[in-house]
Amino acid sequence: MPLLVCSFVIMTHLMFILILTLLCLQVQRCAAANTSKLLELTQENLAQKMLSGKMFFVYFGNQVNPTLELFLEQLELSAEALEDYGISVAKINCTKEDIAKYCGAEKLIKKAYLFRGSEVLRNFDTDTVFDVNAIVSHVLFTVLFNEVRYVHTPAELLNIERTAKGKMDVVFSHIQVLGLPEHRALMETAFVYGAKFQFVLTTGGPVLKHMGVDDPASLQAGLWFLHCKDVRRVAEPCPHTAMRRPLTTLNIYAFLQLMEAPLLTEASVDPAEVEVVYSHLHVPLLFLFTQAQTRALDRVTAEMLAWRLRGEVGVVLIHRDSPDVKTPLKYNAAFKLTEEAAMRYVTFNSIEEVVTVFKEEVTPMGEEEEEEEEEDDDEDQWTTLDVLDDEVAESVYRDRDLILDLEPLLELTADIFTSTLAQHDHLVVLFYIKCFSDVAMASVDCGEWTDICGSQEITSFPTVMAYHHGGEAQLYRGMLGSESLHRFILLSRLGSPLCLSSSEEVQSFMGGGLEQSHTALAPLRAVGLFGSSQDPGVALFEEAARGLRGEILLGMLVDTPAQNWGRELSLDLPALLVSRGPEVQREVHSIQASSLEEVIGLIRNAALDPFPELTVENLPQYLELEKPLLLLFVAEDGPESSAALLEIRGLLHAGHLERYLPCWINLRRTPAGSAVLESYLGGSPQLPALVLSQLQHSAGEVFNFPPRRPLQSRKILQWLQSVESQEEEPAGVVPDEMWGPSVSFYDFLSVMDQELPGYAVQRSTKTKMDAATSEGRQEGKANRKEQKREKREKDRGERQGSGTPANPPSPHTHSEL
């Protein structure tokens, strides 16, 4: 009986413990379920979030399908990860909350938004942010837009290196596919270390060849540490160390810690008793022994080895003459592969033998497992994940989902086009390009309204035209950048030419007084002086001014006031007076032209700076002069650069450079100039550097002013004479090649003919003889096209048979900027 009672008591206690355990487990599960970091917001909560000014990532959902269910699961996982970076993650049920701007009418919403306060930093397609790694990496990439620099060419990377020299080290990385774990690891590291290092990212291109990668297509991800902080000389390159482990957050952290550790550590105890600063990183250690007699030489050898093994192995130099060192003299080295491994004492006979041991015996952590996983999962990964493969440029990736806001535009149709032109004094019509809100704007879809675009002679897209009430339509010929287009629109609103009536008005106009608000947009101003309003040149000048509207501010003075100006300045009228600013001497050009084209050409040439600073925007108009370029490259506006500019300007004013186009490039303001200089000379010389190119007899040869000579006018003139007499050796050659299109021409007409047979066929009336001649030419063309097609097919087959991509990227060629 007592035994039975005892058993019952024990059983009761066991049941109690079991029930208590089950309750605890249930509570833990409930707690776990209730600690989700994913917020579910209402319209009121969203408004509060926007007022907070904080960063948050939101998905607005309606109905869901299996793909969106998977996305929501990954969104919940990303909430906890992004919380560490101060970014909250939320979802909003559009069936309950009607938020018109984000909850669209479609049933399946596939957009997520990153907010900073009320500002939308970026919107993402759910196919782009397909899992937790993609969400975290893309969100952090957007947040770090200004901190993580993107490069595609070696010149862009070298420009960043120059800026970093003497200031900070550079972490350069390559990610072939954005949104994968390697991209996330890099972004998380950049978020933490962005203030300490300059992070740079590329997704491929020639920059990998520059870093020594023989086969860029085979490298999925890589990272290099550029040691720029200790580099003081501009011409000295930044040495770099490659990270040879997989790109994970822990591996990158350990690698950066190793880069900050001393290159070489010295100790006076046995290897087993050495404590190094990076022992917690669990990297292999190499111990080299030295004696007092050979210590200097041994230290040089150890540093050389440390550089070759940097990032993989820690190197320690042991002072053997210390009484605490008991290692036998027959060994000159020791190494330890892992923290748990035994110390191995060896005798090495060469540096290469040491490097070989570590290259063969030390397998990068995780490499074997990664290779096995790739064999099993690679095919599934690429067929099931809709990832973004950004091989072109950062801008294409970042703007791929950008939807232009066309609501402020007046949509023109064939019915209202003509009447709309009559209703506005100033109307700018944009053919599907984003424009500005401070002027009347409109757009024409040329695919829909072909009759309008045909009548306006629109032949390329996008095209911008400005229409002025009572005047002719004006084609915008500048760069399609917001700054250039904005300047054109504002200047085109001014009447041209501005009719001046007195000397005071001319002085005010030339000095920037009249139309003062536009001085910053167009510092150059020109006035046409005509002795009589009956002069035929007056009408030509007025028509030319209307054609140059938006490009140059032009004024006109006629009759007696113009005659008085001519007598005061000893001018022969008609003449063009050009002002480049209040403190710059004015120039006078004679107007001797008999046609509109001649007058426009004269004004445009007079507006060109005789010693211009070349930029990407103004380069084409100076190349049209077809003069040899005497080009000065400067790094910044320092005393040395200013002195060189003054010397060349002195030669120009003295009339010694009439057959050349003297010009200069500031590499800080125009980084593309660095690529030009490297293409010219095959490297980066000391700045300022003076280069002469495009000589007619030189066949593309480039000449470099000797860097050891002072940049003085007398020396420069002697050097130019030596070049002309072919006594100077060229420093490089610019290939005489044309840049072709990056992709094959897309034949829109053939596509139109497929839709409506015969619609786009080009027809023209011919005589019988013309038809016969044309038929012969067409037959010859057809034969040549067939031969080229067969050759392309043959080349494509050879490339595909050898494993080379069918469309390999064309090598980088140079043609000025």
Side-chain angles (χ1 to χ4, degrees):
M1 184 69 178
L3 181 61
L4 183 60
V5 173
C6 186
S7 300
F8 176 76
V9 171
I10 293 174
M11 289 296 295
T12 302
H13 279 287
L14 289 175
M15 288 294 292
F16 178 76
I17 293 172
L18 179 59
I19 293 171
L20 188 61
T21 303
L22 291 173
L23 286 173
C24 290
L25 290 174
Q26 183 65 28
V27 169
Q28 288 175 358
R29 279 197 294 267
C30 294
N34 293 329
T35 56
S36 172
K37 304 296 183 180
L38 181 63
L39 306 175
E40 185 157 356
L41 300 181
T42 63
Q43 188 167 0
E44 183 180 354
N45 298 146
L46 179 63
Q48 293 174 353
K49 277 277 185 186
M50 289 182 171
L51 291 175
S52 69
K54 295 181 179 179
M55 206 89 65
F56 58 101
F57 184 67
V58 186
Y59 169 68
F60 296 85
N62 198 347
Q63 298 181 10
V64 296
N65 59 9
T67 303
L68 286 177
E69 285 181 358
L70 179 61
F71 166 73
L72 290 174
E73 292 175 6
Q74 298 298 313
L75 186 70
E76 187 166 357
L77 294 175
S78 69
E80 185 172 356
L82 288 173
E83 185 186 37
D84 296 336
Y85 305 101
I87 303 171
S88 56
V89 179
K91 63 180 180 179
I92 292 179
N93 189 340
C94 288
T95 59
K96 299 179 180 178
E97 304 293 334
D98 185 16
I99 304 176
K101 192 172 182 179
Y102 304 104
C103 292
E106 61 270 24
K107 294 181 179 180
L108 297 175
I109 302 176
K110 294 187 175 182
K111 289 287 182 183
Y113 298 83
L114 178 63
F115 288 86
R116 179 166 52 204
S118 59
E119 177 189 5
V120 177
L121 294 183
R122 181 94 167 85
N123 64 71
F124 302 90
D125 196 289
T126 54
D127 291 336
T128 299
V129 286
F130 49 86
D131 69 356
V132 61
N133 291 317
I135 294 172
V136 174
S137 59
H138 282 295
V139 168
L140 293 182
F141 198 10
T142 305
V143 173
L144 299 172
F145 182 87
N146 295 319
E147 283 74 23
V148 179
R149 303 282 298 277
Y150 181 92
V151 299
H152 193 67
T153 65
E156 292 171 331
L157 179 59
L158 289 172
N159 188 52
I160 294 174
E161 286 185 39
R162 290 192 193 96
T163 305
K165 286 176 183 177
K167 300 175 184 175
M168 64 169 56
D169 295 316
V170 177
V171 179
F172 171 69
S173 58
H174 159 67
I175 305 292
Q176 192 177 64
V177 179
L178 300 177
L180 294 185
E182 295 86 355
H183 187 208
R184 173 183 175 179
L186 180 68
M187 291 300 104
E188 289 180 326
T189 307
F191 195 95
V192 177
Y193 288 99
K196 196 168 193 177
F197 306 114
Q198 174 61 67
F199 281 81
V200 182
L201 175 67
T202 187
T203 52
V207 69
L208 292 182
K209 288 278 189 179
H210 171 73
M211 297 303 296
V213 180
D214 296 329
D215 185 13
S218 64
L219 182 65
Q220 180 174 329
L223 188 141
W224 294 262
F225 190 91
L226 280 59
H227 306 269
C228 297
K229 189 175 182 178
D230 296 328
V231 176
R232 303 299 177 188
R233 297 180 59 240
V234 176
E236 183 181 350
C238 296
H240 64 264
T241 302
M243 176 179 165
R244 304 188 186 279
R245 295 185 175 188
L247 258 65
T248 65
T249 306
L250 287 178
N251 284 352
I252 298 176
Y253 166 76
F255 179 74
L256 296 181
Q257 292 286 305
L258 284 173
M259 294 300 99
E260 291 188 287
L263 179 66
L264 179 67
T265 303
E266 300 191 25
S268 300
V269 294
D270 266 335
E273 300 177 17
V274 172
E275 293 184 3
V276 290
V277 294
Y278 40 78
S279 58
H280 65 286
L281 300 177
H282 310 296
V283 296
L285 296 177
L286 170 65
F287 302 90
L288 302 173
F289 294 94
T290 179
Q291 300 181 26
Q293 298 86 344
T294 59
R295 186 159 300 154
L297 181 61
D298 292 338
R299 185 175 287 115
V300 171
T301 303
E303 289 177 349
M304 188 185 306
L305 262 173
W307 268 112
R308 294 189 61 175
L309 298 173
R310 192 161 195 181
E312 300 176 75
V313 180
V315 181
V316 182
L317 190 63
I318 303 294
H319 296 188
R320 193 188 287 276
D321 50 348
S322 170
D324 295 326
V325 178
K326 310 297 183 184
T327 304
L329 293 176
K330 64 179 181 178
Y331 301 118
N332 64 4
F335 65 89
K336 189 177 183 181
L337 297 179
T338 64
E339 189 176 5
E340 297 79 14
M343 187 74 66
R344 294 167 61 180
Y345 292 86
V346 293
T347 300
F348 290 121
N349 298 312
S350 68
I351 292 178
E352 293 302 324
E353 187 179 348
V354 182
V355 174
T356 301
V357 166
F358 282 96
K359 295 296 183 185
E360 291 180 353
E361 296 201 22
V362 179
T363 302
M365 185 176 63
E367 192 171 277
E368 293 178 353
E369 294 82 350
E370 184 178 297
E371 290 176 358
E372 292 175 2
E373 289 177 3
E374 283 180 358
E375 292 176 0
D376 298 334
D377 301 337
D378 192 54
E379 184 177 352
D380 292 338
Q381 177 183 3
W382 296 108
T383 56
T384 59
L385 293 182
D386 182 13
V387 297
L388 174 66
D389 187 359
D390 178 23
E391 291 285 349
V392 183
E394 176 194 31
S395 59
V396 175
Y397 155 68
R398 291 190 173 174
D399 294 337
R400 65 187 289 271
D401 293 324
L402 183 62
I403 299 174
L404 295 180
D405 182 13
L406 299 179
E407 290 182 4
L409 296 180
L410 173 64
E411 189 73 27
L412 297 184
T413 66
D415 298 331
I416 64 171
F417 184 81
T418 305
S419 60
T420 303
L421 297 185
Q423 292 172 6
H424 296 278
D425 290 337
H426 303 283
L427 176 67
V428 177
V429 178
L430 295 92
F431 296 85
Y432 280 95
I433 179 171
K434 200 167 186 178
C435 195
F436 317 93
S437 59
D438 59 341
V439 293
M441 298 179 293
S443 65
V444 175
D445 183 353
C446 288
E448 194 70 29
W449 302 101
T450 55
D451 52 344
I452 296 179
C453 298
S455 66
Q456 300 301 307
E457 299 181 354
I458 305 300
T459 58
S460 61
F461 308 95
T463 295
V464 180
M465 301 282 288
Y467 295 88
H468 310 289
H469 187 63
E472 294 183 359
Q474 187 177 1
L475 173 66
Y476 172 65
R477 296 179 175 85
M479 295 181 67
L480 286 175
S482 59
E483 184 178 349
S484 301
L485 185 55
H486 186 253
R487 180 172 63 246
F488 166 77
I489 292 173
L490 292 184
L491 290 178
S492 67
R493 298 185 67 170
L494 303 175
S496 186
L498 185 65
C499 293
L500 307 174
S501 58
S502 65
S503 299
E504 292 75 15
E505 286 189 358
V506 173
Q507 290 283 14
S508 178
F509 176 78
M510 299 291 280
L514 294 179
E515 305 296 348
Q516 187 173 6
S517 60
H518 296 81
T519 302
L521 297 173
L524 184 138
R525 298 175 178 222
V527 175
L529 303 175
F530 295 89
S532 170
S533 57
Q534 305 303 316
D535 189 326
V538 172
L540 285 177
F541 186 83
E542 289 178 335
E543 191 172 353
R546 287 191 291 269
L548 294 171
R549 192 171 179 174
E551 295 183 38
I552 306 171
L553 279 178
L554 289 169
M556 187 173 67
L557 186 67
V558 298
D559 295 332
T560 303
Q563 296 171 11
N564 295 336
W565 261 80
R567 282 193 296 269
E568 291 178 11
L569 301 177
S570 301
L571 302 179
D572 292 330
L573 303 184
L576 183 70
L577 196 60
V578 178
S579 172
R580 302 185 188 276
E583 300 178 0
V584 182
Q585 185 176 359
R586 293 168 183 171
E587 305 164 15
V588 178
H589 302 267
S590 176
I591 300 180
Q592 300 294 334
S594 57
S595 68
L596 175 63
E597 290 75 16
E598 289 181 357
V599 176
I600 291 178
L602 185 149
I603 296 174
R604 279 188 170 142
N605 287 335
L608 295 177
D609 193 328
F611 186 30
E613 178 186 355
L614 293 186
T615 64
V616 176
E617 183 177 3
N618 68 16
L619 177 66
Q621 55 188 323
Y622 286 103
L623 290 181
E624 286 179 356
L625 299 177
E626 297 183 350
K627 284 187 173 184
L629 296 180
L630 182 63
L631 187 51
L632 180 69
F633 293 87
V634 299
E636 53 188 14
D637 301 327
E640 192 174 0
S641 300
S642 300
L645 290 169
L646 284 174
E647 294 290 335
I648 296 177
R649 199 179 295 277
L651 287 173
L652 177 66
H653 290 160
H656 296 304
L657 303 179
E658 290 184 358
R659 67 177 304 270
Y660 306 103
L661 174 61
C663 47
W664 57 289
I665 293 181
N666 187 311
L667 299 184
R668 182 175 57 83
R669 289 194 288 266
T670 309
S674 301
V676 176
L677 185 57
E678 289 175 19
S679 178
Y680 276 166
L681 307 180
S684 301
Q686 186 174 354
L687 299 178
L690 184 62
V691 171
L692 182 64
S693 72
Q694 293 196 358
L695 293 172
Q696 293 180 354
H697 63 75
S698 67
E701 292 176 337
V702 177
F703 298 87
N704 182 28
F705 184 82
R708 295 184 180 179
R709 293 189 200 173
L711 274 168
Q712 299 173 349
S713 57
R714 182 173 57 86
K715 299 286 186 183
I716 295 173
L717 198 57
Q718 291 174 353
W719 172 68
L720 290 174
Q721 293 169 351
S722 299
V723 172
E724 293 293 345
S725 59
Q726 301 186 16
E727 297 175 4
E728 290 284 334
E729 290 292 328
V733 177
V734 178
D736 186 16
E737 299 176 2
M738 296 296 292
W739 277 2
S742 57
V743 295
S744 59
F745 177 71
Y746 190 81
D747 192 351
F748 287 98
L749 294 179
S750 65
V751 175
M752 294 167 68
D753 275 335
Q754 290 177 8
E755 296 293 329
L756 294 172
Y759 176 78
V761 173
Q762 304 299 305
R763 302 182 179 87
S764 61
T765 58
K766 300 176 182 174
T767 64
K768 292 182 179 179
M769 184 178 296
D770 291 338
T773 305
S774 175
E775 183 178 352
R777 286 199 301 266
Q778 294 299 329
E779 184 176 352
K781 287 183 179 179
N783 291 334
R784 289 194 295 273
K785 286 183 178 179
E786 180 64 23
Q787 292 172 2
K788 290 182 179 179
R789 187 189 64 78
E790 291 177 356
K791 184 177 184 301
R792 286 197 301 269
E793 292 294 334
K794 180 181 177 182
D795 292 343
R796 187 181 296 114
E798 291 175 354
R799 288 196 300 267
Q800 291 176 348
S802 62
T804 307
N807 296 302
S810 58
H812 174 70
T813 57
H814 169 68
S815 177
E816 298 308 324
L817 288 180

